Amino acid sequence: VQLQASGGGLVQAGGSLRLSCTASGRTFSSYAMGWFRQAPGKERELVTAISWSGGSTYYADSVKGRFTISRVYAKNTVYLQMNSLRPEDTAVYYCAASRYSGSVTRIYEYDYWGQGTQVTVSS
């Protein structure tokens, strides 16, 4: 599986962005998907995840109520809608795919990674 992330950019605090991650291959529907982020000098952290069926999701406490993950099988794409952005959301965002079931929360359970897209939120 190859993943291509896009949609990052510069936005003012309180603004919104939508990230996209498109997967190659015919088995997209069998993978759980996640969005991670990594800020300078910090470890990569899980932001949100969605199960292969779309029926289970996970959100980090820091983004609950502001971010929404979704997937469109016909487009082999997973989205991350980010609203009410804050300067502390500034990071490189990565999408990843996992063969594990459920909304996968452990980084080592992700098998494939996209290249990352920069999100910068100005105050």
Side-chain angles (χ1 to χ4, degrees):
V1 176
Q2 291 185 324
L3 304 174
Q4 180 70 39
S6 61
L10 173 64
V11 64
Q12 289 188 332
S16 298
L17 281 174
R18 189 178 76 160
L19 306 183
S20 301
C21 176
T22 300
S24 64
R26 299 177 293 175
T27 58
F28 171 73
S29 61
S30 63
Y31 287 89
M33 300 296 295
W35 285 98
F36 292 76
R37 66 186 180 188
Q38 188 166 20
K42 295 188 176 180
E43 293 187 352
R44 191 171 298 189
E45 62 174 355
L46 177 65
V47 175
T48 180
I50 188 167
S51 62
W52 65 268
S53 68
S56 177
T57 56
Y58 164 86
Y59 294 93
D61 288 343
S62 58
V63 306
K64 280 181 182 176
R66 301 188 298 122
F67 290 12
T68 303
I69 190 171
S70 61
R71 62 192 302 168
V72 177
Y73 296 95
K75 295 185 177 182
N76 276 10
T77 299
V78 62
Y79 299 99
L80 177 59
Q81 178 67 45
M82 304 185 293
N83 298 328
S84 302
L85 282 161
R86 305 167 180 169
E88 53 264 40
D89 295 318
T90 295
V92 177
Y93 283 71
Y94 299 88
C95 62
S98 171
R99 291 170 290 178
Y100 285 81
S101 61
S103 52
V104 183
T105 60
R106 290 179 284 267
I107 190 170
Y108 61 82
E109 291 178 332
Y110 283 85
D111 306 289
Y112 305 98
W113 292 83
Q115 85 286 6
T117 184
Q118 176 71 46
V119 172
T120 304
V121 184
S122 62
S123 57

